[in-house]
């Protein structure tokens, strides 16, 4: 090799005495090689091999110190490049250039150094001088000290400090760092060097913070478990365990990207694409918006033939009958966070949340509901309270709301039809077919709607019905080839039933009058006799109007205020016409509750004396409210504004 001689400790004849060269020797060797060779064109592994050979070691003699050597090579090359371009390095430890696309998570390496100061006189401190906790505090302090230079405040969300030792006993640190937003690291890097003498190397991982943790937590072919830090410093105190933090989040997009990456790697090795699994359909189903309907299998096969390739076509063909279930399962997986959040809500909270859903009936559902109840001599206020009490209190004797008709078409099912719209179809257990296991799936529901229920023993035994309807526990039979044992049902899911008077009161089979009497005691019964014709777009139900109708004026106003606060808007909302029409179904008591809730209790008596119901309230002008009911002009405006 031409050029200046190698350092004494690195000559081959001294190899026996330099089995593990120190950091200064390695830097001198690397600098000499960079001056004499074009290491810019070498791979990092080849660079390590050349340095090892120059030190009299085998080509893989420095593999145990791979991380240290990699960082050293980068620093030396960058430092010499800076000198060649007449841009002197600020210190012997190159600060580096930040990525144009900053990250939220970085892996920071604090390498060991034997130098006391850099070329420009900057003090350098070996990382082993500090403890894990001190290193943690240095990073938090650096973050705090550099806030003034940032457009927006930056907060550290997670940090883990790992201490590792070389074979020589020298200490270096790896710090996994995550923030609440993407950030550029140069200010922190400069602060660590200036304030604490710590030279640092910053890099990122494709899996973000999880990838940084995994690098330090999991062993590799070149790093044994014994070399890993068994007691890293974790921050904050509720930092997840490393077994969790080292695993990145999974999404449909990431899963699809991983499969495509594997397909390309296999192709590079001359291998065919791997077999399609059920989970591989999840990204496709979501991206193509294939919903779980009656033709979802056909839609999936059409995509497979068009763009999915042979492997996907073969999978769909072989699993045709399973495809609808896979589609449904994929959407549950996609929305699982929302489903978990909904499961933690009470039924009343779900009902209140439905108030902010868009109206689909232009406000007509409530008008028809009010009319159906009134023409069958039922007080809408009493019916609303019965439904609300059932939703809040759950199943118990006397709270089960039952609509009993005489011939049909009386609107008894119409009043319950919005239940699946409010709680979700998967959360409403509907009338089961006759089978060996009719109540299978009941345990997953939040609400039960037995439409056109027959009070006999063809589907469910009379004894189980009595237990079910009074709120007692009972056993749900399950197929033993799919489940282990049967299930004791103890939930309080409320029940809503529609039936015929003849089915409710007629003696059938071995039933006696006492059996019927016990059943009737469990029901909150509403009879329907008058037939009604309902437009098809209203008959489908409206979750928003149902929620408003059940909650009543007082609770409606509370919900509207809550939603307005979340949006930063006024309680008038975004669909004023349906909300104005909602008051048409109010009784005098409802109107008085509404007025009192507006903190206008001093005029409630006037509204009651004049029998102002919802329809009259909607027709009154602000002038009428002032002249006839004693409100002041601004109070009258408030009353009308809340209705528009």
């Amino acid at each position: 090799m031409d050029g200046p001689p190698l350092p004494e400790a690195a000559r081959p004849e001294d190899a026996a005495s330099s089995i593990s060269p120190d950091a200064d020797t390695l830097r001198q060797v690397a600098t000499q090689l960079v001056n004499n060779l074009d290491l810019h064109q070498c791979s990092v592994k080849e660079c390590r091999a050349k340095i090892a050979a120059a030190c009299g070691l085998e080509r893989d003699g420095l593999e145990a110190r791979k991380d240290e050597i990699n960082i050293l090579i980068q620093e030396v090359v960058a430092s010499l490049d800076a000198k060649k371009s007449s841009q002197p390095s600020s210190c012997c430890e190159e600060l580096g250039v930040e990525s144009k696309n900053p990250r939220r998570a970085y892996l920071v390496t604090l390498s060991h150094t034997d130098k006391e100061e850099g070329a420009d006189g900057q003090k350098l401190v070996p990382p082993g001088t500090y403890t894990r906790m001190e290193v943690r505090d240095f990073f938090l302090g650096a973050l705090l000290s550099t806030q003034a230079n940032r457009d927006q405040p930056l907060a550290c969300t997670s940090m883990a400090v790992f201490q590792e030792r070389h074979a020589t006993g020298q200490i270096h640190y790896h710090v996994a760092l995550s923030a609440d937003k993407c950030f550029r690291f140069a200010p922190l890097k400069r602060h660590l060097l200036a304030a604490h003498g710590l030279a640092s190397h910053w890099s990122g991982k494709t899996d973000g913070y999880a990838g940084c943790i995994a690098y330090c937590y999991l062993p590799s072919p070149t790093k044994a478990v014994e070399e890993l830090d068994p007691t890293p410093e974790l921050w904050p105190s509720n930092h997840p365990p490393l077994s969790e933090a080292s695993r990145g989040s999974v999404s449909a997009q990431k899963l699809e990207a991983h499969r495509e990456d594997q397909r390309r790697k296999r192709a590079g090795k001359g291998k065919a694409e791997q077999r399609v699994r059920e989970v591989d359909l999840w990204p496709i189903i979501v991206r193509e918006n294939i919903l779980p309907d009656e033709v979802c299998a056909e839609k999936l096969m059409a995509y497979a033939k068009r763009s999915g390739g042979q492997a996907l076509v073969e999978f769909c063909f072989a699993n045709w009958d399973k495809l609808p279930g896979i589609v449904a399962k994929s959407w549950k997986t996609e929305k699982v966070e929302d489903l978990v959040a909904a499961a933690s809500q009470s039924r009343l909270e779900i009902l209140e949340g439905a108030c902010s859903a868009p109206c689909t009936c232009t406000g007509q559902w409530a008008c028809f509901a009010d009319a159906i109840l009134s023409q069958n001599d039922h007080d809408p206020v009493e019916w609303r309270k019965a439904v609300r009490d059932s939703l809040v209190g759950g199943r118990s004797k006397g709270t089960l709301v039952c609509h009993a008709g005489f011939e049909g078409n009386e609107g008894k099912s119409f009043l319950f039809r919005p239940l699946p719209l409010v709680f979700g179809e998967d959360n409403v257990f509907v009338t089961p077919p006759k089978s060996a296991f009719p109540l299978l799936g009941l345990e997953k529901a939040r609400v039960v709607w037995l439409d056109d229920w027959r009070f006999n023993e063809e589907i469910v035994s009379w004894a189980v019905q009595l237990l079910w309807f009074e709120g007692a526990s009972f056993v749900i039979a399950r197929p033993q080839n799919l489940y282990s044992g049967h299930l004791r049902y103890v939930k309080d899911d409320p029940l809503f039933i529609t039936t015929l008077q003849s089915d409710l009161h007629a003696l059938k089979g071995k039933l006696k009058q006492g059996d019927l009497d016990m059943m009737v005691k469990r029901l909150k019964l509403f009879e329907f006799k008058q037939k009604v014709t309902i437009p098809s777009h209203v008959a489908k139900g409206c979750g928003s109007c149902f929620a408003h109708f059940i909650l009543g004026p007082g609770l409606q106003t509370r919900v509207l205020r809550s939603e307005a606060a979340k949006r930063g808007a006024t309680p008038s909302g975004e669909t004023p016409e349906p909300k104005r029409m909602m008051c048409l179904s109010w009784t005098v008591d409802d109107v008085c509750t509404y007025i009192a809730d507006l903190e206008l209790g001093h005029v409630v008596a006037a509204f009651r004396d004049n029998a102002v119901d919802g329809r009259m309230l909607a027709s009154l002008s602000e002038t009428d409210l002032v002249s006839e009911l004693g409100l002041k002009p601004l109070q009258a405006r408030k009353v009308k504004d809340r209705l528009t």
Side-chain angles (χ1 to χ4, degrees), residues 214-237:
Y215 177 84
C216 306
Y217 171 66
L218 299 176
S220 67
T222 59
K223 187 185 295 185
V225 173
E226 295 76 13
E227 299 178 32
L228 301 176
D229 189 348
T231 58
E233 177 67 25
L234 304 182
W235 186 92
S237 58

Side-chain angles (χ1 to χ4, degrees), residues 244-263:
E244 295 179 11
S246 59
R247 291 184 170 95
S249 61
V250 178
S251 66
Q253 294 79 7
K254 289 182 179 180
L255 191 68
E256 187 170 36
H258 176 72
R259 179 176 175 83
E260 183 62 19
D261 181 59
Q262 294 300 310
R263 184 169 80 99

Side-chain angles (χ1 to χ4, degrees), residues 288-363:
E288 297 297 316
N289 197 32
I290 299 175
L291 301 178
D293 53 29
E294 63 277 3
V295 292
C296 61
E298 287 80 359
K299 291 178 182 177
L300 197 52
M301 178 58 90
Y303 169 83
K305 291 176 62 180
R306 182 176 69 253
S307 307
Q310 183 175 340
L312 183 56
V313 170
E314 291 177 353
F315 179 88
C316 292
F317 191 91
N319 297 274
W320 185 270
D321 293 337
K322 297 181 180 179
L323 294 182
I326 295 175
V327 171
K329 189 170 15 177
S330 296
W331 281 109
K332 284 186 177 181
T333 302
E334 181 67 16
K335 300 178 179 180
V336 67
E337 292 83 5
D338 295 335
L339 296 175
V340 171
S344 65
Q345 290 182 301
S346 68
R347 291 182 291 266
L348 185 60
E349 288 173 335
I350 295 175
L351 187 67
E352 291 176 344
C355 288
S356 60
C359 173
T360 60
C361 66
T362 63

Side-chain angles (χ1 to χ4, degrees), residues 351 365 383 387 415 418-419 422 542-551:
L351 187 67
W365 186 92
W383 182 84
V387 174
L415 295 171
L419 285 171
V422 172
C542 176
S544 177
C545 290
F546 175 83
H548 281 286
F549 191 77
I550 297 300
L551 290 172

Side-chain angles (χ1 to χ4, degrees), residues 85 141 220 380 386 498 557:
S85 60
S220 67
T498 66
T557 304

Side-chain angles (χ1 to χ4, degrees), residues 459-471:
I459 298 178
V460 180
S461 71
W462 195 260
V464 170
Q465 288 186 59
L466 290 174
L467 292 172
W468 186 9
F469 297 165
E470 74 172 10

Side-chain angles (χ1 to χ4, degrees), residues 586-605:
W586 291 356
T587 64
V588 173
D589 287 339
D590 292 337
V591 172
C592 291
T593 301
Y594 169 70
I595 296 299
D597 198 66
L598 294 179
E599 299 179 358
L600 299 174
H602 63 288
V603 295
V604 167

